[in-house]
Amino acid sequence: MPFIPHTGQEITQMLDTIGADSIDDLFDEIPEHLRAAVMEAIPQGMNEMEVSRLMHQRAGLNTRALCFLGAGSYQHHIPAAVWEITTRGEFYSAYTPYQAEASQGTLQLTYEYQSMMTALTAMDVSNASMYDGASSLAEAILMSVRANRKSKSRKILIPTTVNPVYRQTAHTIVNGQQIELLDVPYDETTGTVKLEQIKQQCEGDITALVLQQPNFFGCLEAVDEITDWAHENNILVIAVINPLAAAILKPPGEWGAEEHGGADIACGDGQPLGAPMSAGGPYYGLLCCKQAYVRQMPGRIVGRTVDLDGKEGFVLTLQAREQHIRRSKATSNICTNQGLVVTASTIHMAIMGATGLENTAAACLANNNKLVECLTAIDGVEKSFDAAHFHETVLRLKKPAAEVLKGLIQKGILGGYDLSLDYPELGNALLVCTTEMRSQDDINAYVEAMKEVMTRSDSDLGLVQDTVLC
Amino acid sequence: MPFIPHTGQEITQMLDTIGADSIDDLFDEIPEHLRAAVMEAIPQGMNEMEVSRLMHQRAGLNTRALCFLGAGSYQHHIPAAVWEITTRGEFYSAYTPYQAEASQGTLQLTYEYQSMMTALTAMDVSNASMYDGASSLAEAILMSVRANRKSKSRKILIPTTVNPVYRQTAHTIVNGQQIELLDVPYDETTGTVKLEQIKQQCEGDITALVLQQPNFFGCLEAVDEITDWAHENNILVIAVINPLAAAILKPPGEWGAEEHGGADIACGDGQPLGAPMSAGGPYYGLLCCKQAYVRQMPGRIVGRTVDLDGKEGFVLTLQAREQHIRRSKATSNICTNQGLVVTASTIHMAIMGATGLENTAAACLANNNKLVECLTAIDGVEKSFDAAHFHETVLRLKKPAAEVLKGLIQKGILGGYDLSLDYPELGNALLVCTTEMRSQDDINAYVEAMKEVMTRSDSDLGLVQDTVLC
Amino acid sequence: MLIFEHSSPGRKGAPQSPSAEAMPTGIPENLLRKNSASLPEVSELQAVRHYTRLSQKNFSIDTEFYPLGSCTMKYNPRACNTLAMLPGFLDAHPLTPDEQNQGFLACMFDLQSMLCEATGMAAFSLAPMAGAQGEFAGVAMIGAYHRSRGDDARREILVPDAAHGTNPATAVMCGFTVREIPTLDNGDVDLEALQQAVGPQTAGLMLTNPSTLGVFERNIEAIARVIHEAGGLLYYDGANLNAILGKIRPGDMGFDVIHSNLHKTFSTPHGGGGPGSGAVGVAERLKPFLPLPVVTKEADTQRGESYRYLTASDRPQSIGRLSAFMGNPGVLLRAYIYMRFLGREGMVRVAEFATLNANYMMAEAKRRGFTLAIDNRRASHEFIITLKNEARDYHVSAMDFAKRLLDLGYHAPTTYFPLLVPECLLIEPTESEAREALDGFMDALEQIRNEAQETPELLHAAPQTLPVKRLDEVRAARQLDLAYKGR
Amino acid sequence: MLIFEHSSPGRKGAPQSPSAEAMPTGIPENLLRKNSASLPEVSELQAVRHYTRLSQKNFSIDTEFYPLGSCTMKYNPRACNTLAMLPGFLDAHPLTPDEQNQGFLACMFDLQSMLCEATGMAAFSLAPMAGAQGEFAGVAMIGAYHRSRGDDARREILVPDAAHGTNPATAVMCGFTVREIPTLDNGDVDLEALQQAVGPQTAGLMLTNPSTLGVFERNIEAIARVIHEAGGLLYYDGANLNAILGKIRPGDMGFDVIHSNLHKTFSTPHGGGGPGSGAVGVAERLKPFLPLPVVTKEADTQRGESYRYLTASDRPQSIGRLSAFMGNPGVLLRAYIYMRFLGREGMVRVAEFATLNANYMMAEAKRRGFTLAIDNRRASHEFIITLKNEARDYHVSAMDFAKRLLDLGYHAPTTYFPLLVPECLLIEPTESEAREALDGFMDALEQIRNEAQETPELLHAAPQTLPVKRLDEVRAARQLDLAYKGR
Ligand SMILES: Cc1ncc(COP(=O)(O)O)c(C=O)c1O
Ligand SMILES: Cc1ncc(COP(=O)(O)O)c(C=O)c1O
């Protein structure tokens, strides 16, 4: 019996103690006619050898192409030590650290995470994680509504340069609470939001403004100017960041004039700091804020304190914000968070250090410059925007992106993200990404493949459709 | 600087303390003209991302064929928990447990290993491991010479049914010590040693006799009869076993008449109990003996004792046998052993239990029967021997085994071990192995491939030589 | 010591860093960072040593019996971790075209199907990233359903007073108001109070069955009738299915929507707080509203079966997305692998042995003279001891018992939840624990009760054997220290 | 508690076992096992919990500073483990045809080449499975060389008295007799005594340089001359190359044969006792005798370069095999990966920083008033403190110091080795430790000396903070208990 240690004799003895004749008797409070039948649609159990064979087969079906796709998930190098330590049983199989004295490992690590994340973002406070970047933005919006006592409108400005799936998620989550999300368009030459466009959108009382840096196009927004304007108008600024980029870009806590103290809330996805792409997760949502808003923060927070002897120790704190204490008046319903990924991320940051992250970010950027330079030398490929960028760039193609991507994948290249569904106004637009993992050989392979795809006629493309991929 | 934590400032301060001007000064006792030049033939260092890419490429070059090859290394299922726990830093990065109080983890585990190994072999004592099965046999022979006080001859009988590489290794290692290894031929119909053949070989004083069960052909030797005869003639019996087979076969401690107490020494390779095939190692040599010979045992042994408070604890014991105490008079020069593999193997045995090992052994055997039945139905394939066997069988082919294996590997099948070099008298002989890992599908694939190879003409074989393999 | 205190300026983990690139030009000065982030500067060895040692300061299933009620701390098979972390899964970009992602999608489709069968629901979405998000999805669907029928007045969600905190919090997050329904002393919902509470404002009822009191709701059919007749929908908080798997299915009890915590029943690890998965299942009428993504199987003439993600155009009424991609695939894979281990027979056994263990411990507790919160009923997968007598007689609290248990090498049960029961311990052994562990725990509890009588200071001063003694939570909340800023 | 004591008759780790097959007929009854082996019968969770907890009872590099002299306890990079355990390596059968094994063989060939370059030898074999087996191979080659020249009288191996125990033990195992050569107070070999010892009976000299006394043998060229002129060969016990890597090469010093412990200098883990690798290198004239297997590279016209194992027919004079297959490939891969991390610059730095750390600690020891075994010389990668004064004055032993260090969270240095130095601690910090660790250790040592003076009972009773107190080794050897047979 899988994972059940009971022997026949033990079962008998235990039933004796209970005073029951059979295990089935223990279910005698369940109405007979409601009892479940055998679950035919569920296959029979397997032993580990069989399960292992099955999963190796399934994993083998996934094509492992050279990845130039980003759009919110990035393939970075992760030191081997990170997940080896993270998956140690003591971290892996522990519960939420409700019994603080028996959970100092998780608690101290989380405190260290909060310290690192505030250092990276230059914010005052970090919580212990939200589910992912998208849901973290949603919670940041809810939080801004609670925090901005000067605003009554519940109106939030969101530029369309914010990741489209983040915007969709925010809609789903804030939907029930009479909050209005107002789109702000972007400038078609720069690929960034212009302050004038925001001002046009902004009628009267606005609660908060969201700004993603680098934005979904990889372009860098004018964060100082926009933050200052927002603060002058009593609008809270919610920064959406890539925490790896934050190693070299101005951190949200320093956006705008010093006297305003930077962005009010910062969120984003922690994935680039130690989480594998893993088909979409688990990642984690980072969420930071100014000290003033700490009581509006959703999720767990760890604090440093002392024990009976005055010795340093760590506990979950400000729990009165949370559902298990405050129930319907909690700041959020979140309970389980993404603790284990935070564990990995903390170890990742510790091993990489600021220098490691800076070098990584710089390598991503340099690689993107190399790739884009070579690609745009190809006839029919040009850059869409002229703003400075991080490690992603939008390219305009002379053929539909979907078609080009099909051609590339046949050469084992995951060529990027097709923007045509989310941004039809951009035409045949493709978002390409390079991380530090893409070697010069990889870049050359992409460029060669792109050359061929761009010169090939459409009928050629159709022909090779079913070739086996590498 | 890889794995070196020193900052520039620290280096300066440390040199100050030492009173040296530079690190190079610390080497000033080395004659200048002997100083090494730059090691041009060694490539420049790499970071982990680059090393990782290189090693994935190299590992990818190794063809992963369906394995029907045994001959001393076997592909068995290993529970995932085994190596996850074994590679925990506390086991992985600890030294030999010389400081017992700080090494109770390794010491208790080793005591448990010794307990499990004596249970499996029905022997009195087990040491904490030798390097591998082959070197363990060599040490067993040396030990028998020390242990058999009644014999002066230093003559050892070794049937040629003992693994040829074990016999070669024994030759290399006992070579310097005037020990004579005498071959005993096997019976050509059974594939096992007959007592009469041993008697023929045996002139006068013999120190020990080696007997492998199952033997290299997979066949089962008449261990009782031969052991009894040996003991009646004051010859020590050295058993070479497959410890997985020992879960269902009579263990060496029970060979022969009860009053003789079974084999005197048992050795073998622990690989089938939790070590991956891993291109040949690390495995470990098991070595067990009767209580009477414990002081002749080479290698480390852990004993149970008590601490100052009378609490149970574990230490290395009988160290006076070892080189670090007894130097030139030690029982062996062995120091470092195969501790980590023993760790894995102990956890493996604990998780599998006797039932798990028995079921595994039975599945191996059943699979071999299935395979051999199907293969011998093919024209030009027949069994060489008629003795009972475990999970390996010798087949006689109508074509050279080397040629057949080439054909099979082109179909992604590692078809077995070509016996023609070691046993030219057997003709075109192939040793095939099945473990519990070989599913019915795998067996069918082998049979289909064999059919094709056996019916194909030689020129066909040449033609496809360079096809890409699966 | 904090990792920051192992730091030395300029020290680096060199083998992990790409060689320094000149910072590319083209980024305006004012968008660049001025000072490096003050992260720790340590060697790889220092980091490995620090975090390895930190890990040893945790209790965990892999090291201790952990009978934490409502949390289902069962064995997390190592193979589930190993196999979910195969490179074919880890290196998969979430936006990989479906054709290149068939292995993963097949697992997800199978998982949806198995969950449907196990719960008796018509369809599942794996999108929610924890139980609370599953609840959110469920309640949002209830809202969307009523709205789609023009039934806009249904703005109230009913929640029993024994409910988990996420239930009321979720209802509010979805824009509903919450009305509490009382529970009777025997653990069943107060049916009369429920009847009085329902009306045209009722959007639905959120119920856990067995409830957090550890007993099966015997009037479940009557409750379903009351809610459905009032026009409301019935929500099943199936955070924990351990008690009923294969024995009774929420769909058959009349529930319209359910979430299940795969990180409980299906044994994905808790990881010191997460990640989890709160897969959400629905009856036929709620199917159009399921959150995306959902995986579907299609018969493809060319290559047999194939799998793909449904998009917004396939499901225009969907409540939408809850995350950037696909929930928590790594968690979903672990649950899938675990379910393949169990198979249909294994799942029934989960419920059987989780229930056997709980009832055995409850019988032992009674035999040893502890007071049960609800007597003369079967335990489900968990049960409650109340220490109100001990508190009154010896001036020790449930918290003291909990801390003293830590000293004896057992993780404490859940304390002070559910809120209805004073000085309570909610004990959930799970099916994967051997009888010795259960007996050892009961012995410890008995020992502590004796100590409470004879040497209560032992309890007040507990724990003594852990890395720290009892921690000052009040100070933590008053003198907030939430990030290291140097000593 | 032993794993056996968690056992319950009939309990199994079911998910790991193939379903029971009927025992196939055909095996005679008398060859079958009568009773199941009495292995523990536990659940997977029980095994995981038991061994996880056991592991926590170890000191290790990953948890403590471990300055064990002559053992080189440096950081074992986790990536070396992860990458050596890629399925392409783990699933390779050792008898895989060379053509299917090119990735692995390429690594082995490169490793041989890098070791040649690093040591100045002409060829290497990776076959030996530990230092002692490397020594065996080396000494056996010396024997085979003399024999091949008909020089059969050379039956004596010279070994300095400071040598590691494996040196004399090995010589005897190879059939030689051993003669000890004394060491001078300054740590150098007594050259005069050596000159008197050599003769036509001399097969060779086994030398460690820097010696186990932690100093460089300054007369190495003279020693080489003496041995070579007497017709002997010079063996380098390069168990530890940490002190000289990239600074001076044994081949350039005149050594004819060398073994190197890859589990020390090249950072493969010690694993609580092994496995290791004692790769053996030779000068040109010994090449024909190298143990098999050895990997060679061939230019193949069809596919460029290819690699293959040399066989006995390629090397008829080989001393033969030392193991069934290829030594310890998993260890060899880890060493290879580590060397690719380091590269040529990194290797030099190993020697530089190992030496810097040792000399820094030695200077600190002196400054704090400890007595050095050899004063006024450079330390190599290690150095020796003698506690003979403390022993005399306070009646505490080096062992007491060692045990007390454990209490303070440091693994003890090597004690009572080399045998020449009374009450000694042989201290080897390695290059991967940060200065804080070195200072912390010296502070602890100073604290203990103070305690020795004021409260010596603290030392005698140490350790107090570990899972057990000081263990009774005499009882262990007298009342042998080497296997569990029930209580
Ligand atoms: C009954 C019940 N409902 C809901 C939840 C919330 O689940 P999660 O923590 O995954 O959000 C829990 C988990 O503690 C629970 O026990
Ligand atoms: C100087 C010296 N020589 C030889 C050896 C023996 O090496 P191994 O333990 O690998 O057999 C050692 C290891 O302790 C050593 O330090």
Side-chain angles (χ1 to χ4, degrees), chain B residues 18 61 83 88 103 115 173 177-178 180 206 210 231 259 272 282 290 310 358 362 425 433 450:
Chain B
I18 297 169
L61 287 180
W83 282 92
R88 283 171 59 85
S103 314
S115 305
I173 293 177
Q177 302 193 37
Q178 280 84 47
E180 231 178 305
I206 295 286
V210 178
H231 283 151
E259 65 268 27
K290 288 183 176 160
E358 286 163 19
E425 71 277 13
C433 174
M450 183 64 107

Side-chain angles (χ1 to χ4, degrees), chain A residues 135-148:
Chain A
S135 59
S136 184
L137 171 59
E139 290 274 13
I141 291 170
L142 295 175
M143 186 180 166
S144 72
V145 172
R146 294 190 297 270
N148 192 345

Side-chain angles (χ1 to χ4, degrees), chain A residues 90-350:
Chain A
E90 298 95 319
F91 283 137
Y92 185 78
S93 75
Y95 201 76
T96 303
Y98 289 132
Q99 289 293 344
E101 298 84 359
S103 314
Q104 288 297 297
T106 292
L107 285 163
Q108 180 175 332
L109 181 139
T110 309
Y111 178 86
E112 291 181 359
Y113 162 76
Q114 292 171 185
S115 304
M116 293 182 196
M117 199 44 85
T118 52
L120 202 53
T121 57
M123 302 292 292
D124 298 326
V125 178
S126 165
N127 76 359
S129 76
M130 308 306 291
Y131 303 129
D132 78 337
S135 59
S136 184
L137 171 59
E139 290 274 13
I141 291 170
L142 295 175
M143 186 180 166
S144 72
V145 172
R146 294 190 297 270
N148 192 345
R149 300 265 164 82
K150 296 198 183 126
S151 161
K152 296 274 158 284
S153 74
R154 303 172 87 87
K155 284 186 182 163
I156 314 287
L157 296 178
I158 306 198
T160 54
T161 56
V162 172
N163 187 334
V165 291
Y166 280 37
R167 287 182 281 136
Q168 289 163 29
T169 304
H171 270 280
T172 310
I173 295 177
V174 308
N175 208 13
Q177 301 194 37
Q178 281 84 47
I179 292 169
E180 231 178 304
L181 303 180
L182 304 171
D183 282 356
V184 181
Y186 58 90
D187 181 275
E188 283 177 23
T189 41
T190 62
T192 60
V193 189
K194 285 265 146 56
L195 184 53
E196 305 85 70
Q197 294 170 311
I198 300 180
K199 286 181 184 163
Q200 265 165 33
Q201 204 65 23
C202 169
E203 295 167 30
D205 176 18
I206 295 287
T207 302
L209 170 137
V210 179
L211 201 54
Q212 183 174 351
Q213 182 77 328
N215 72 21
F216 188 64
F217 301 142
C219 296
L220 301 186
E221 303 280 4
V223 292
D224 288 338
E225 188 188 4
I226 297 173
T227 301
D228 283 340
W229 170 83
H231 283 153
E232 281 151 19
N233 291 280
N234 290 329
I235 299 171
L236 296 191
V237 174
I238 299 172
V240 181
I241 62 161
N242 172 336
L244 175 63
I248 56 169
L249 297 182
K250 178 176 282 189
E254 295 175 4
W255 290 2
E258 216 184 314
E259 65 268 25
H260 292 309
D264 301 279
I265 303 173
C267 61
D269 202 304
Q271 183 270 332
L273 299 179
M277 298 190 296
S278 197
Y283 304 161
Y284 69 92
L286 67 92
L287 188 59
C288 297
C289 69
K290 287 183 176 160
Q291 190 72 39
Y293 306 134
V294 63
R295 287 190 161 70
Q296 301 307 333
M297 185 69 115
R300 296 183 192 127
I301 302 178
V302 172
R304 182 156 59 162
T305 183
V306 294
D307 75 358
L308 280 180
D309 293 345
K311 186 176 163 195
E312 169 169 299
F314 304 87
V315 294
L316 292 174
T317 193
L318 298 180
Q319 295 190 64
R321 299 166 298 109
E322 293 185 71
Q323 48 72 32
H324 62 287
I325 307 286
R326 194 62 71 79
R327 301 180 72 84
S328 65
K329 302 204 171 47
T331 52
S332 166
N333 70 341
I334 192 170
C335 176
T336 290
N337 62 17
Q338 305 283 118
L340 197 69
V341 195
V342 164
T343 304
S345 197
T346 306
I347 301 172
H348 184 86
M349 286 190 271

Side-chain angles (χ1 to χ4, degrees), chain B residues 158-466:
Chain B
I158 306 197
T160 53
T161 55
V162 172
N163 188 334
V165 291
Y166 280 37
R167 287 183 281 137
Q168 290 163 28
T169 303
H171 270 280
T172 309
I173 293 177
V174 307
N175 209 12
Q177 302 193 37
Q178 280 84 47
I179 291 169
E180 231 178 305
L181 304 180
L182 304 172
D183 281 357
V184 181
Y186 58 88
D187 181 277
E188 283 177 22
T189 40
T190 61
T192 61
V193 188
K194 285 265 148 57
L195 185 51
E196 303 86 70
Q197 294 170 310
I198 300 180
K199 286 182 184 163
Q200 266 164 32
Q201 204 64 24
C202 169
E203 296 167 30
D205 177 17
I206 295 286
T207 303
L209 170 136
V210 178
L211 200 55
Q212 182 174 351
Q213 182 77 327
N215 72 21
F216 188 63
F217 300 141
C219 296
L220 300 186
E221 302 280 5
V223 292
D224 287 337
E225 189 188 2
I226 297 174
T227 300
D228 282 341
W229 170 83
H231 283 151
E232 282 151 19
N233 291 281
N234 291 328
I235 299 171
L236 295 192
V237 173
I238 299 173
V240 181
I241 62 161
N242 172 336
L244 176 63
I248 56 169
L249 297 183
K250 179 177 283 189
E254 296 175 4
W255 290 2
E258 215 182 318
E259 65 268 27
H260 291 311
D264 300 279
I265 303 173
C267 63
D269 202 303
Q271 184 269 335
L273 300 179
M277 296 190 296
S278 197
Y283 304 161
Y284 70 92
L286 66 92
L287 189 59
C288 297
C289 68
K290 288 183 176 160
Q291 190 72 38
Y293 305 134
V294 63
R295 287 189 161 73
Q296 302 307 333
M297 184 70 113
R300 296 182 193 128
I301 301 178
V302 172
R304 181 156 59 161
T305 184
V306 294
D307 75 359
L308 279 180
D309 293 346
K311 186 175 163 195
E312 170 168 299
F314 304 87
V315 293
L316 291 175
T317 194
L318 298 180
Q319 295 190 63
R321 300 166 297 107
E322 292 186 70
Q323 48 71 34
H324 64 286
I325 307 286
R326 195 63 71 78
R327 300 179 73 82
S328 64
K329 302 204 170 44
T331 52
S332 165
N333 70 341
I334 191 170
C335 177
T336 290
N337 62 18
Q338 306 283 117
L340 197 69
V341 194
V342 164
T343 305
S345 197
T346 307
I347 302 171
H348 184 86
M349 286 189 271
I351 292 179
M352 299 296 287
T355 313
L357 296 184
E358 286 163 19
N359 289 352
T360 302
C364 291
L365 211 168
N367 284 343
N368 200 251
N369 286 342
K370 279 187 218 162
L371 176 70
V372 170
E373 193 177 315
C374 296
L375 286 181
T376 50
I378 299 171
D379 192 40
V381 182
E382 48 191 58
K383 277 179 72 167
S384 296
F385 302 123
D386 64 9
H389 65 94
F390 180 53
H391 66 350
E392 290 181 275
T393 302
V394 179
L395 299 176
R396 192 169 338 180
L397 307 176
K398 74 170 180 209
K399 296 183 180 181
E403 200 175 286
V404 171
L405 289 173
K406 261 214 173 110
L408 291 171
I409 194 72
Q410 284 164 4
K411 303 184 160 295
I413 286 169
L414 212 46
Y417 182 70
D418 177 359
L419 291 167
S420 60
L421 274 178
D422 299 305
Y423 301 93
E425 71 277 13
L426 290 179
N428 297 333
L430 180 69
L431 181 67
V432 295
C433 174
T434 50
T435 68
E436 82 286 5
M437 298 278 280
R438 295 288 72 82
S439 67
Q440 188 64 52
D441 284 355
D442 297 347
I443 290 174
N444 294 346
Y446 190 173
V447 174
E448 285 316 305
M450 183 64 107
K451 272 187 195 147
E452 213 183 304
V453 170
M454 292 309 281
T455 50
R456 212 152 58 176
S457 74
D458 294 358
S459 56
D460 291 346
L461 276 171
L463 265 176
V464 285
Q465 184 162 293
D466 270 311

